[in-house]
Amino acid sequence: MRESPSVSTNDSTGTLAPVSPQRAESNLWFGMVLAHAAAAMLFCAVAFAADFYRMRGFWPPASALPGRFVPSLAGVLLVAGGVLLHGALRRVAGPRRARGWMLGVLFAGTGFLATQAAWLHGLWWHRDLRIPDSGVFASVLYGLSAVQAAHAAVVLTGLLRATLRTLRGFDARAPLRRALPGWWCTTVMYGVLFAVVYLP
């Protein structure tokens, strides 16, 4: 399995000096965690604002809320993808064994996005849950769903790149480790969305 090329940076003299792959990867991982934390803070701030409107009465009654089966299925796909991602990390030392797990993660993530898109499309066109006619509830539903789906798409793009690297013979452990906090951050964000929007 081929290693990724070493990373370089500027030292105190202004010349390029090699940096160990371990240190470079540590910096990248820390940066990814900070980015996901910032996105999660923004998402939770919007969710708490939505909960404020909910307590003020700008919310449909429980009988008028959309069904929860399809959103629950989307959540199951996210959790399953996280489990498969952990499995891929354990088996990535043997690329042929890891590829199936990584493809499973991509399938789960793509299935999640497709399920969400089909569900929201149905709410918009078949249940007339539209912005601005349906008020705060519709704005919260589509707004939070869009932010969370965008976050999931970014994580999936990184996983696709890691899978392609594995197929080319490169070591994909580092990209997978970077994707792991993003995946679970996406899962937690979806849990917040589900609690705010779909639970009575």
Side-chain angles (χ1 to χ4, degrees), residues 6-12 14-20 23 27:
S6 59
V7 182
S8 299
T9 186
N10 290 329
D11 62 12
S12 58
T15 59
L16 292 177
V19 175
S20 67
R23 181 178 177 184
N27 292 338

Side-chain angles (χ1 to χ4, degrees), residues 39 112-113 143-157 186 189:
F112 165 77
L113 291 177
L144 290 180
S145 296
V147 172
Q148 196 268 340
H151 194 268
V154 170
V155 176
L156 269 180
T157 302
T186 300
M189 289 167 66

